[in-house]
Each structure stands twice: as C-alpha cells, then as structure tokens.
Amino acid sequence: MPPAIQVSELWKRYRYGTLGYGTLRHDLQSWWARVRGRDDPNAKLHLRRPPANDAGSDHFWALADVSFTVEPGEVVGIVGRNGAGKSTLLKVLSRVTAPTRGEIRLRGRLASLLEVGTGFHPDLTGRENVFLNGAILGMTRAEVRRQFDAIVAFAGLERFVDTPVKRYSSGMYVRLAFAVAAHLEAEILVVDEVLAVGDASFQRKALGRMQAVAGEGRTVLFVSHNLGAVRSLCTRGLVIADGAISFSGETVPALEHYEASLATVGDPLRSSRPAGPLAGVVGFSRVAVRQEGVEVSRVDPTRGFEVIVEGRAETPIGDAAVALGLFSEGHRLFSLHDSTEGVNLPAGDFRSHFEMPSHLLRPGRFVLGVGVRRALGGDWAWIAEAAAFEVSERWDERLLQRDTGALCVSVRAWRETASAGSFTLEDAVAGAGQSRREEGHDRG
Amino acid sequence: MTVIRPASGWFDLHLGELWRYRDLIYLMVRRDFVAQYAQTILGPLWFLIQPVLTTAMFVLVFNRVARLPTDGVPPYLFYMAGSVAWGYFANCLTRISTTFTTNAHIFGKVWFPRLVVPISVAVSSLFAFVIQFALLAVLLGLEALRGGSLSFGSGLLLLPLVVLQMGLLGIGCGIVISSLTTKYRDLVNLVAFGVQLWMFATPVVYPASKIPARWAWLLAVNPMAPMVESFRILVLGAGTVTAGQVAAGVAITLLILAAGVVLFSRIEKSFMDTV
C-alpha cells in the first residue's frame, strides 16, 4: 500500500526584518536610500531569535530538509520544543502556507485542526455554526447533515443547537467546536494541541474520541506538548529540533529522545517564550535546582532540594502566581504555585523558590514546566517542558529504586493473614509501591 | 492525490477545487445574511437609507445646483438607478479588497480555496442590491401610475447579465487590490478615494450622452460606463451605449478578472508569511 503522507526534502524559509512591514512608504524609502548609496533605513530588523543557521542573514529556515513517510492507519506523534518547526510543518501540510522547496504527496483527503472553531460566528446558532465550520474544514453540507446528530450528542448540546453561540459558555463553545472537528470525514487528520481545550472530563472524552478515530484506521498526525497523550495515542513518534527531524521511531524511544534533548536545570532555557495569553508579558530565563546550597542537575533523593524559577515580567501582573509543574514520562505529577491567592508581580526580574522535602521523588528523569497564572481572569503563560533533571539512583535504600514509581508516598498499610482459621494482624507496614514486609517503613 | 509544492509559476490555479467547496460559498453567504440582521432593529431597511440619501444629495447638487441633464428621465429615478447599480459594484470592490486582512485569522488556520471568500462576498452583496432594486421598481411603478412614459419591458431579462458583469468586475478589481495590499498595507487608504474618483469617471451623476466627443474614449476603457448606461436603458429606457462599448467592457472585465485570479492564486500561497 502506498504511504498516506510522503514528505520529501521539505524546506521552509521565513524572512526576518521587513516581514510584515510592507508599506509603500518603506519600500520607497529603501529605494531612495539605495539610489543615493545610503544605508537602507528599513534593513534587517532582527525580531525574536537570531537566525539559527547562518548568523547575519535576513532569513532562517524553519524547516530544513525534512523527509518522512506515514503509512495509512498510522498515528504519528510529533514532539519538539516551541519554535522547533512543528507548527510550520503542520501549516505546510495543511496548505496554509507553501513550502520553499520540496514536495508533499497526500493520498486521501486531509483535514487539519490547527485550532477548533475556526470561522465560528457569534450571531449564528449552534446548528448554523456546525455547518459553516464543517464546510470550512472541507465537509459538504450532506456530510455534515449525516454527522449532525452525532456531533451535537458528542458535545452534549441537544437543547441549545438553535441558540446563537454568543450565549454559550466558553465550555459549551469549545465542546461544540471540538465535536465538529472530531467528526470530520477525512482519511488524514492533522491535529495541533486541540485536546488542550475544555475541562478535564471533556479532555478525557476528546482523547477517547481521538483514540476511536485512530482505531478506525485513519491516518493521524498529532502534535502535542501533552506527552502523556502522545504516549497513549500514537504508534510512532517524530522528534523535531531546529527544523529537522532528529528522531523517528517508536513512540516511547521518541519521547525519551525528546526528553533527553531538553535543557538541563541550571542552563539558560532554550525557549524562553511561553505560550498563553500572558506570553508577551512574561518570559522565563532559567530554572535551577539547588541542594544544600549548591546548584545541581542530579538530585539526591534522600535530601530536600529547592527549585528556583527565574524570569522577567515586562509589565506588572496583578494577582499572579508563578507555577511549577513536575512531569514524569509525559504525565503531570503535580503543580505548585508560589502563592495560592496570587500576589502582584511587579515589572522586572523575579525569582521564585519552591522548597521540596526529602524522599519526594524516586530515581528517574523529571521534566519541569514553568508558568504564571493569574488568580482573577485566569490568564496564564506556560512553558511545558522548560528543563529536566535527574534524581539519582540510591541502591543502598531499596525504597528509592527507579522501577517502583515516580513518587515516594508514605502511607500506613497492614496485612491480615488467615493462617489458623482466623485473621490475625501482622506488623506489615509499607510505603506506596512496596509490598515486601521486611523492608517495612524506614522513615518517619 | 494531493501534491503540495512550492509556490512557483503563475498558473497554478486549482479552480476545480472551488467547485468542491461550493457548499462553503453558500454557507458563507448565509452567514453574512444572518450576521447583518442579527444586531439591527431595522434590518434590511438600512440598505434603503444609503440610496435614498445618495439620491437626495445627487438631485440637490447635480440637478438643482449644477443643472446637469438626466436624459429626460425624472432626476430622482435617474440618480437612484445610477447609484443602485454603482453601489453594488462599489460594495463588492470595497469589501473584497480587504479579503486577506479581514480573513487572516481563518486563512492562517485552515486551507480552502481562498477565492471562496470574494465570490461569497459578491453574492451576499446582492441582498442589498435586490432590496434597493425593489425600491427602485416601486418608484418606477408609481411613476408609471402617474402617467410617465417609462419602458419597463422584456429588456429587463438582460439585467442579470449586467449585474453578473458588475459582480465579476467587482471581484476582479477587489482581488487585485487585496493581493497588492498584503504587501503594501497603505494602499487600503486609497481604495475609498479611488472608488469615488471612478464613480465620477462613470456616467452615474451625468448621462453618457453629455460626454464630449474627445472624452468618449473614457467610455471605452471604463467597463463600468457601458454597464451603468445599460442598466439605465434596461430599467428606465433612457441612455446611450454602443455594442462596441459593451464588447470592450466585457473584454476588459474578463481581462481584469483573469489577471486578478492569477495574482490572487499566487499571493494566497505566500500571504501567511507576510502577516
């Protein structure tokens, strides 16, 4: 069977500088300057990051020689840091922008979900928006009509289909938008982060729907920072770094490769720009881990440690809490905030400290996410994979072995045995993940 | 099978895909229709205010003050016919000229044949035109009742062709401007002014019969001139237009449309990199 997606030697160049500054006046100014042999007043405004490939040039390659094939029915997860080229790849695949060089061959209809609810109009009813959005995504009216009941039922909005969506709550809106997307009749689906919408129960439902879609034998390309979702959905993983594919293979090795490529704690962050509504207002420069006063990248699990988040607010942010998330193998273990109610964050540099107790983490690799969340209004900014660190193996204490989980939890546990016909209590007490009585609990 | 390649060559048009997306054109027209009424109390009546006020102003300025003739037709009918016809074209052109900028958000997230948008705008602009035309028809009927000698005959069947040509020219000019304004944003400021100028170069506030012979070439190069005149001939029975002017107008319209489609198809591939 021929591949569903065949990407050959794909390159995409973006220009810096005059990008988006096209006014006739500027072009005339530049022309006049050239005529007189002066410097172009509009030349090379360096935006964002400097060109990665050749410094000093006015362009950079967002994709550099990307080739891969996807077989029909494969569910491929694409992971990479912000700015690595994932979004550009998806944009080129979904024909939103053209490649600079190379070619993509697609067998079957491709529907791309770079966001949900594209083209929703607030004055139209739910029903009208379902049809319009479906048509924008490439469905005919007949196809939408066939799926209509399923879409509405999936969103759970049977009673509100004839209400203008401007009266919907944001949750209802997102549910309806995702429901349309989830019922696209395309052979190839390209999905970008759309699972990151709605409340937790709807996210589970959405993930379930994605799993069902994948199970129908359709080809799915899935981009996500939710490594847990990639792990559970995808049959293959592609890691993108600096516009090129740095790893292609099975999902678990791909995720390991990706996590290994993250900045280690203490180093400057590779991507300081977070996602979210506050992205332009706050940035993060470094995440460090300190143990007994010294910065480390390997943490001794038997001693407490401190995580330090360094960043900068461009303008004051009211009621802000700096947030720290701890991830293991793509799953979020927990989140912490430096204040529960939120405290005003003045403009300028800031540093937040999170003190962790000893015997919290088991040996393994952990990824830290950092962000800012506002208590009021819920605005946020977030870097999902800011930095990674190791918790070192401690063979002298069996409690701290790698294969027994990520967290140490101390609970009271005991066992009753019926050796002589009646249950008697033995003094078996263990930590979570432990069942061997003789190990007992060796800490208070 | 779909093949995605770099934007190269000028004739990579994919017009067949437009047909596959015809339902989207219908739904966008419907959206415009619903959206225009949702927030207004008077609804379609708003569409009548513009030609009524324009007509009143034209009558006052060009008839009463400047004493321009109106081909023997009651001035208010003459100006209203002209401004209804011109209004449709100008409305298409103005709305389509911002296609890329007003739809940047959608264009950045989903691909569909971009020409769907200008086409649906030209179709949805017909609502206003039909309502304004209905007002014109009512006024014509009243005029006929009062014994006016107005031919309102079978020539009316040709009217859709004139409207179609105005729509096509509006799309053609609109997509040329929208393509150019992705690079030069400030051109947008010229659009309203340019449309005004163009109106005065078209027999809207004066009849073509009064154009001096040495300016007659204007009627040949301005495709809107024979269209507005034809419109008035078909509706009011008064006007002057030659077959040559009509043929030249159609040819120029198709030329602008073709050039627009080629330019637009080229720009739509790289547009997202410049916003």
Side-chain angles (χ1 to χ4, degrees), chain B residues 1 10 31 68 75 95 99 121 134 180 236 245 252-253 269:
Chain B
M1 191 175 77
W10 287 88
R31 172 198 65 188
L68 289 176
R95 284 176 63 197
T99 300
V121 168
L180 295 178
L236 306 174
Q245 285 168 0
I252 293 172
T253 300
K269 297 199 183 79

Side-chain angles (χ1 to χ4, degrees), chain A residues 12 14 19-20 22-25 27 91-109 112 114-115 118-119 121 123-124 128 131-132 135-138 140-141 166, chain B residues 1-7 14 17 20-21 23-24 26-28 30-31 34-35 38-39 105-112 114 181-187 268-275:
Chain A
K12 175 69 188 176
Y14 281 103
L19 183 110
T23 66
L24 199 50
R25 193 172 73 88
D27 275 11
K91 278 185 173 168
V92 174
L93 271 168
S94 39
R95 296 175 70 182
V96 162
T97 189
T100 311
R101 281 184 226 154
E103 186 180 271
I104 301 173
R105 286 170 178 274
L106 304 168
R107 278 178 188 80
R109 194 147 54 123
S112 63
L114 303 193
E115 74 173 0
T118 309
H121 193 288
D123 284 327
L124 298 188
E128 289 163 337
F131 276 91
L132 179 63
I136 286 177
L137 294 171
T140 64
R141 269 189 293 161
K166 64 182 171 191
Chain B
M1 191 175 77
T2 317
V3 181
I4 302 171
R5 286 206 183 91
H14 302 292
E17 283 167 330
R20 202 161 67 69
Y21 276 82
D23 280 351
L24 181 56
Y26 166 82
L27 288 162
M28 283 192 162
R30 211 183 123 92
R31 172 198 65 188
V34 174
Q39 293 293 350
H105 178 71
I106 298 181
F107 285 3
K109 295 295 180 189
V110 187
W111 180 85
F112 51 83
R114 304 311 193 202
T181 47
T182 57
K183 178 129 174 64
Y184 299 116
R185 290 291 165 80
D186 34 6
L187 281 185
E268 72 170 37
K269 297 199 183 79
S270 60
F271 152 72
M272 280 321 298
D273 303 343
T274 57
V275 283

Side-chain angles (χ1 to χ4, degrees), chain A residues 96-278:
Chain A
V96 162
T97 189
T100 311
R101 281 184 226 154
E103 186 180 271
I104 301 173
R105 286 170 178 274
L106 304 168
R107 278 178 188 80
R109 194 147 54 123
L110 177 141
S112 63
L113 295 173
L114 303 193
E115 74 173 0
V116 294
T118 309
F120 261 43
H121 193 288
D123 284 327
L124 298 188
T125 64
R127 180 190 305 276
E128 289 163 337
N129 271 314
V130 167
F131 276 91
L132 179 63
N133 186 231
I136 286 177
L137 294 171
M139 284 197 275
T140 64
R141 269 189 293 161
E143 283 171 337
V144 180
R145 211 171 289 128
R146 204 158 53 227
Q147 296 273 12
F148 187 79
D149 291 336
I151 292 171
V152 174
F154 184 84
L157 292 169
E158 289 91 341
R159 283 170 52 219
F160 305 102
V161 279
D162 293 308
T163 308
V165 296
K166 64 182 171 191
R167 306 227 172 83
Y168 281 21
S169 69
S170 59
M172 290 160 75
Y173 185 95
V174 156
R175 258 151 53 204
L176 188 66
F178 183 84
V180 180
H183 291 81
L184 284 173
E185 294 186 345
E187 291 80 27
I188 307 171
L189 264 181
V190 171
V191 185
D192 186 14
E193 295 284 5
V194 285
L195 295 179
V197 298
D199 56 22
S201 76
F202 188 74
Q203 280 190 20
R204 267 197 298 281
K205 202 171 166 183
L207 202 63
R209 175 68 200 170
M210 288 299 303
Q211 240 143 8
V213 165
E216 286 166 12
R218 286 197 263 174
T219 310
V220 182
L221 278 192
F222 179 59
V223 164
S224 183
H225 282 292
N226 182 345
L227 300 186
V230 171
R231 175 182 298 265
S232 64
L233 274 178
C234 299
T235 54
R236 236 181 84 197
L238 282 181
V239 184
I240 297 195
D242 296 325
I245 293 189
S246 66
F247 188 91
S248 166
E250 303 221 336
T251 313
V252 173
L255 292 180
E256 280 168 1
H257 176 92
Y258 171 58
E259 288 191 347
S261 74
L262 295 174
T264 347
V265 289
D267 296 342
L269 298 192
R270 297 201 183 152
S271 161
S272 60
R273 247 178 66 88
L278 290 177

